[in-house]
Amino acid sequence: MAKQRNRRKAKVVETPRDKNTPVIAEDPNKYKKRHPIWSFLGFRCDDEDWGVGTKGKTKVNDELLPDILRSLKSFEGMQWGEIERQTHDRGKSSNHWISRDELSKMAQDKLKQEHLDDIEELYSLRLNNMRRLLGVREGEVFFLYWIVSDHSSQ
Protein backbone atom coordinates (compact mmCIF):
# COMPACT_ATOMS: atom_id res chain seq x y z
CA MET A 1 0.00 0.00 0.00
CA ALA A 2 1.32 3.41 -0.96
CA LYS A 3 2.10 5.83 1.78
CA GLN A 4 -0.31 8.82 1.85
CA ARG A 5 1.09 12.25 2.30
CA ASN A 6 -0.56 14.75 4.52
CA ARG A 7 -1.57 17.47 2.17
CA ARG A 8 -2.08 20.80 3.84
CA LYS A 9 -4.09 23.60 2.40
CA ALA A 10 -2.76 27.12 2.71
CA LYS A 11 -4.86 29.14 5.10
CA VAL A 12 -5.76 32.69 4.16
CA VAL A 13 -5.09 34.79 7.21
CA GLU A 14 -6.29 38.04 5.72
CA THR A 15 -8.48 38.70 2.76
CA PRO A 16 -6.51 40.68 0.22
CA ARG A 17 -7.89 44.15 -0.38
CA ASP A 18 -7.49 46.78 -3.01
CA LYS A 19 -4.63 49.16 -2.19
CA ASN A 20 -6.90 52.15 -2.89
CA THR A 21 -9.45 51.14 -0.24
CA PRO A 22 -9.04 53.37 2.83
CA VAL A 23 -8.67 51.70 6.19
CA ILE A 24 -10.89 53.13 8.92
CA ALA A 25 -9.53 52.16 12.29
CA GLU A 26 -12.30 53.85 14.22
CA ASP A 27 -15.70 55.32 13.47
CA PRO A 28 -15.05 59.07 13.13
CA ASN A 29 -18.58 59.85 14.36
CA LYS A 30 -18.51 57.78 17.53
CA TYR A 31 -18.04 60.96 19.61
CA LYS A 32 -21.63 61.90 18.65
CA LYS A 33 -22.89 59.11 20.89
CA ARG A 34 -20.79 60.23 23.86
CA HIS A 35 -21.40 62.79 26.56
CA PRO A 36 -19.13 65.84 26.68
CA ILE A 37 -16.09 65.98 28.91
CA TRP A 38 -14.89 69.43 30.00
CA SER A 39 -11.23 70.35 30.19
CA PHE A 40 -9.97 73.61 31.66
CA LEU A 41 -6.28 72.96 30.90
CA GLY A 42 -6.16 75.74 28.30
CA PHE A 43 -8.56 78.15 30.01
CA ARG A 44 -7.28 81.73 29.92
CA CYS A 45 -8.57 82.94 33.32
CA ASP A 46 -6.77 86.28 33.25
CA ASP A 47 -7.51 87.27 29.68
CA GLU A 48 -8.32 91.00 29.71
CA ASP A 49 -11.40 90.64 27.52
CA TRP A 50 -12.67 87.08 27.80
CA GLY A 51 -11.17 85.85 31.06
CA VAL A 52 -12.73 85.60 34.47
CA GLY A 53 -9.97 87.02 36.63
CA THR A 54 -10.01 90.44 38.24
CA LYS A 55 -8.97 92.00 34.92
CA GLY A 56 -11.51 90.16 32.80
CA LYS A 57 -14.52 92.07 31.47
CA THR A 58 -16.56 88.86 31.73
CA LYS A 59 -16.55 89.29 35.52
CA VAL A 60 -17.57 85.87 36.78
CA ASN A 61 -19.61 86.79 39.79
CA ASP A 62 -22.17 85.11 42.02
CA GLU A 63 -24.76 85.28 39.21
CA LEU A 64 -22.65 84.31 36.19
CA LEU A 65 -20.76 81.33 37.60
CA PRO A 66 -23.90 79.35 38.56
CA ASP A 67 -25.34 80.04 35.07
CA ILE A 68 -22.20 78.69 33.40
CA LEU A 69 -22.14 75.62 35.63
CA ARG A 70 -25.87 74.97 35.03
CA SER A 71 -25.28 75.15 31.28
CA LEU A 72 -22.32 72.76 31.45
CA LYS A 73 -24.35 70.36 33.58
CA SER A 74 -27.21 70.55 31.10
CA PHE A 75 -24.85 69.75 28.21
CA GLU A 76 -23.51 66.76 30.16
CA GLY A 77 -26.98 65.21 30.06
CA MET A 78 -26.78 65.21 26.25
CA GLN A 79 -24.63 63.47 23.68
CA TRP A 80 -22.49 65.48 21.26
CA GLY A 81 -24.83 64.59 18.40
CA GLU A 82 -27.71 66.25 20.28
CA ILE A 83 -25.58 69.28 21.16
CA GLU A 84 -24.61 69.73 17.51
CA ARG A 85 -28.27 69.58 16.40
CA GLN A 86 -29.42 72.39 18.73
CA THR A 87 -30.66 75.39 16.79
CA HIS A 88 -31.91 78.93 17.39
CA ASP A 89 -33.30 81.80 15.27
CA ARG A 90 -34.56 80.36 11.99
CA GLY A 91 -32.72 77.06 12.33
CA LYS A 92 -29.18 78.39 12.77
CA SER A 93 -26.88 76.05 14.67
CA SER A 94 -26.36 77.07 18.29
CA ASN A 95 -23.12 75.14 18.76
CA HIS A 96 -20.66 74.92 15.91
CA TRP A 97 -17.13 75.20 14.59
CA ILE A 98 -15.86 78.64 13.57
CA SER A 99 -12.97 78.67 11.12
CA ARG A 100 -10.04 80.95 11.87
CA ASP A 101 -10.94 83.12 8.87
CA GLU A 102 -14.47 83.69 10.22
CA LEU A 103 -13.24 84.79 13.65
CA SER A 104 -13.11 88.47 14.49
CA LYS A 105 -9.76 90.24 14.26
CA MET A 106 -9.74 90.35 18.06
CA ALA A 107 -10.15 86.56 18.31
CA GLN A 108 -7.48 85.96 15.67
CA ASP A 109 -5.11 88.26 17.56
CA LYS A 110 -5.82 86.37 20.79
CA LEU A 111 -4.88 83.07 19.14
CA LYS A 112 -1.62 84.61 17.98
CA GLN A 113 -0.97 86.26 21.37
CA GLU A 114 -1.50 82.95 23.19
CA HIS A 115 0.75 81.07 20.71
CA LEU A 116 -2.23 79.12 19.38
CA ASP A 117 -1.45 79.97 15.75
CA ASP A 118 -1.78 76.34 14.69
CA ILE A 119 -5.50 76.23 15.58
CA GLU A 120 -7.53 76.36 12.38
CA GLU A 121 -10.96 76.53 14.02
CA LEU A 122 -12.59 77.00 17.41
CA TYR A 123 -15.75 75.41 18.71
CA SER A 124 -18.45 77.74 20.04
CA LEU A 125 -20.94 76.54 22.66
CA ARG A 126 -23.96 78.80 23.13
CA LEU A 127 -24.89 79.46 26.75
CA ASN A 128 -27.52 82.14 26.08
CA ASN A 129 -28.30 84.91 23.56
CA MET A 130 -24.98 86.69 24.06
CA ARG A 131 -22.63 84.42 26.03
CA ARG A 132 -20.49 81.72 24.39
CA LEU A 133 -17.76 79.33 25.44
CA LEU A 134 -14.91 79.15 22.93
CA GLY A 135 -12.46 76.31 22.78
CA VAL A 136 -11.25 73.29 20.89
CA ARG A 137 -13.08 69.99 20.72
CA GLU A 138 -11.19 66.73 20.29
CA GLY A 139 -13.61 63.84 20.16
CA GLU A 140 -15.89 64.19 23.15
CA VAL A 141 -13.50 66.49 25.08
CA PHE A 142 -14.11 70.25 24.96
CA PHE A 143 -11.03 72.27 25.93
CA LEU A 144 -12.38 75.61 27.14
CA TYR A 145 -10.23 78.65 26.28
CA TRP A 146 -12.47 81.68 26.75
CA ILE A 147 -15.88 82.86 27.97
CA VAL A 148 -17.24 85.45 25.56
CA SER A 149 -19.94 87.75 26.93
CA ASP A 150 -20.67 89.49 23.62
CA HIS A 151 -20.57 86.91 20.86
CA SER A 152 -20.31 89.59 18.19
CA SER A 153 -16.68 89.97 19.31
CA GLN A 154 -15.80 86.30 18.71
Side-chain angles (χ1 to χ4, degrees):
M1 183 183 297
K3 190 175 186 182
Q4 284 188 335
R5 292 186 180 180
N6 289 336
R7 295 184 186 218
R8 295 184 181 179
K9 288 186 178 181
K11 293 182 181 179
V12 177
V13 177
E14 189 176 294
T15 306
R17 63 178 179 82
D18 183 11
K19 290 181 182 178
N20 294 328
T21 305
V23 176
I24 299 176
E26 192 174 293
D27 177 11
N29 292 319
K30 80 176 190 179
Y31 75 91
K32 290 183 178 189
K33 297 175 184 167
R34 295 193 173 168
H35 297 277
I37 297 171
W38 312 117
S39 175
F40 296 90
L41 289 174
F43 185 53
R44 303 328 199 238
C45 290
D46 294 323
D47 185 275
E48 291 182 17
D49 299 298
W50 299 340
V52 295
T54 54
K55 298 181 202 172
K57 292 178 185 171
T58 304
K59 298 182 180 82
V60 171
N61 55 31
D62 292 342
E63 293 175 25
L64 180 57
L65 186 58
D67 285 346
I68 292 171
L69 294 176
R70 269 193 291 277
S71 294
L72 291 175
K73 184 176 180 179
S74 173
F75 282 130
E76 283 182 337
M78 304 168 74
Q79 296 173 341
W80 274 109
E82 296 169 302
I83 293 170
E84 289 177 343
R85 286 191 302 271
Q86 284 186 332
T87 59
H88 69 92
D89 300 337
R90 290 176 256 142
K92 290 184 180 178
S93 178
S94 296
N95 310 299
H96 53 87
W97 288 101
I98 305 172
S99 74
R100 180 186 199 90
D101 299 338
E102 295 172 350
L103 292 170
S104 68
K105 171 123 174 58
M106 179 182 184
Q108 290 180 26
D109 290 345
K110 285 188 178 300
L111 288 173
K112 194 176 290 185
Q113 175 187 345
E114 295 289 339
H115 308 288
L116 300 171
D117 304 48
D118 59 332
I119 293 177
E120 293 299 319
E121 53 188 2
L122 290 174
Y123 198 81
S124 172
L125 278 172
R126 181 178 190 259
L127 299 181
N128 60 30
N129 286 341
M130 297 302 288
R131 192 166 294 119
R132 305 288 188 269
L133 299 181
L134 284 183
V136 173
R137 203 188 75 214
E138 292 180 16
E140 67 267 27
V141 181
F142 180 78
F143 294 89
L144 175 65
Y145 286 164
W146 295 290
I147 298 170
V148 180
S149 290
D150 176 8
H151 83 285
S152 62
S153 65
Q154 71 184 26

